[in-house]
Amino acid sequence: MNDKTVRTKVLEIAYAETGPEDGPPVILLHGFPDDMHAYDGAAPLLAERGWRVLVPYLRGYGPTRFLSADTPRSGEQAALGQDLLDFMDALAIPRAVVGGYDWGGRAACVVSALWPERVRALMSINGYNIQNIANALVPASAEQEVRNWYQWYFNTERGRAGLTANRHDICKLLWRLWSPNWRFTDEIYDRTAASFDNPDFVEVVIQSYRHRHQNAPGDPSLAAVEARLAVQPSITVPTIVLHGEADGVGPVAGSESDARHFTGSYERRVIPVAGHFLPNEAPEAIAQAVSDLGQRS
């Protein structure tokens, strides 16, 4: 994949591109803690099938940079969605298949819900990824609260200091816990972990996990977008949801009832053996879902 950059109103976004320039565009987005290498397996498969594959680094990751020191280092869902929309605008892409997981899946769901005219189809890993922040203080089961330990940690100043000092160890531990069947090597992890040295990584991550739990203000310029997301808008575009059967942070049962959020054509696929880092673990499942969506939209 060729590494490129493009400027939006707030970011210089680094991204990789492969496949024919005149192919139908598909934008694939990584989550936390990961980077664009998550799609190293899926992108060539899609390029071989004629897709123009674009994989950006999210804000706070890798070579992506803020243009101004005055821009809030927000990781809230509205920011992630707006970044995806701005990325499409900067590259003059009127419509695309969009897909992702975790933070990237949230961005893809946000754009699909609020700007459906820009989305040909959606591949969403783990279901409906738009946060219900109004219900953030409602406790989950004891088992899920334990899985979310890192979120409570990041909501403390000790957690901020810990992520600053120990980001590589913390993120590597999350890889092991969330994808227990993935036998990744140190080389594979280190290739991605270099993205966590972005100067804004800690601030973006901390703000993201505090904002979703009502412990940090959002970017004022994105308040209108957050207000639209607060009503949990339906997604009307054709959608395939993928969910790793062995996901260690978002168990597969979590997406069983998500069909109610999708009013267009909808299919859910449980991927055996795979965990939370599904694009790394099951690239063929990614390529197949995108290809199937291309035939349906």
Side-chain angles (χ1 to χ4, degrees), residues 118-266:
R118 303 298 299 275
V119 178
R120 181 178 169 189
L122 167 68
M123 180 198 66
S124 181
I125 299 172
N126 288 30
Y128 183 80
N129 283 305
I130 296 175
Q131 295 162 341
N132 190 347
I133 294 176
N135 287 347
L137 301 183
V138 177
S141 68
E143 291 84 359
Q144 188 58 44
E145 297 284 30
V146 170
R147 295 185 192 102
N148 290 345
W149 67 269
Y150 66 103
Q151 299 191 21
W152 321 138
Y153 183 53
F154 294 160
N155 271 263
T156 69
E157 285 307 296
R158 182 185 178 102
R160 183 197 297 274
L163 186 62
T164 300
N166 303 316
R167 70 191 73 184
H168 291 277
D169 289 344
I170 290 170
C171 294
K172 193 171 190 178
L173 174 62
L174 296 179
W175 277 35
R176 289 172 176 155
L177 293 175
W178 295 356
S179 283
N181 297 324
W182 183 24
R183 299 295 180 256
F184 61 88
T185 64
D186 287 344
E187 180 182 6
I188 289 173
Y189 176 74
D190 291 343
R191 182 181 59 192
T192 289
S195 285
F196 311 151
D197 291 327
N198 181 298
D200 298 304
F201 175 77
V202 170
E203 288 306 310
V204 170
V205 170
I206 294 298
Q207 197 279 344
S208 175
Y209 287 103
R210 293 186 182 186
H211 180 269
R212 70 184 64 188
H213 293 295
Q214 303 181 18
N215 286 330
D219 181 340
S221 71
L222 297 169
V225 178
E226 284 290 353
R228 296 178 66 190
L229 296 173
V231 303
Q232 297 282 275
S234 295
I235 292 175
T236 61
V237 304
T239 298
I240 292 177
V241 162
L242 305 178
H243 206 138
E245 188 175 39
D247 194 311
V249 66
V252 70
S255 64
E256 287 179 348
S257 62
D258 279 5
R260 70 188 188 278
H261 293 292
F262 299 89
T263 60
S265 65
Y266 174 82

Side-chain angles (χ1 to χ4, degrees), residues 98-119:
V98 298
Y101 81 99
D102 199 270
W103 289 26
R106 187 158 301 117
C109 282
V110 167
V111 173
S112 297
L114 301 188
W115 298 282
E117 70 279 3
R118 303 298 299 275
V119 178

Side-chain angles (χ1 to χ4, degrees), residues 20 27 36 49 65 84 162 189 207 260 269:
I27 303 171
M36 67 92 181
R49 301 177 193 186
R65 294 291 187 271
L84 173 55
Y189 176 74
Q207 197 279 344
R260 70 188 188 278
R269 301 175 181 177

Side-chain angles (χ1 to χ4, degrees), residues 2-40:
N2 295 322
D3 291 342
K4 301 181 177 182
T5 61
V6 66
R7 285 200 170 197
T8 69
K9 56 191 176 184
V10 298
L11 295 172
E12 182 168 19
I13 297 177
Y15 67 101
E17 180 173 354
T18 190
E21 291 184 4
D22 61 351
V26 55
I27 303 171
L28 301 173
L29 301 127
H30 68 83
F32 166 83
D34 208 347
D35 76 351
M36 67 92 181
H37 289 297
Y39 295 98
D40 280 357

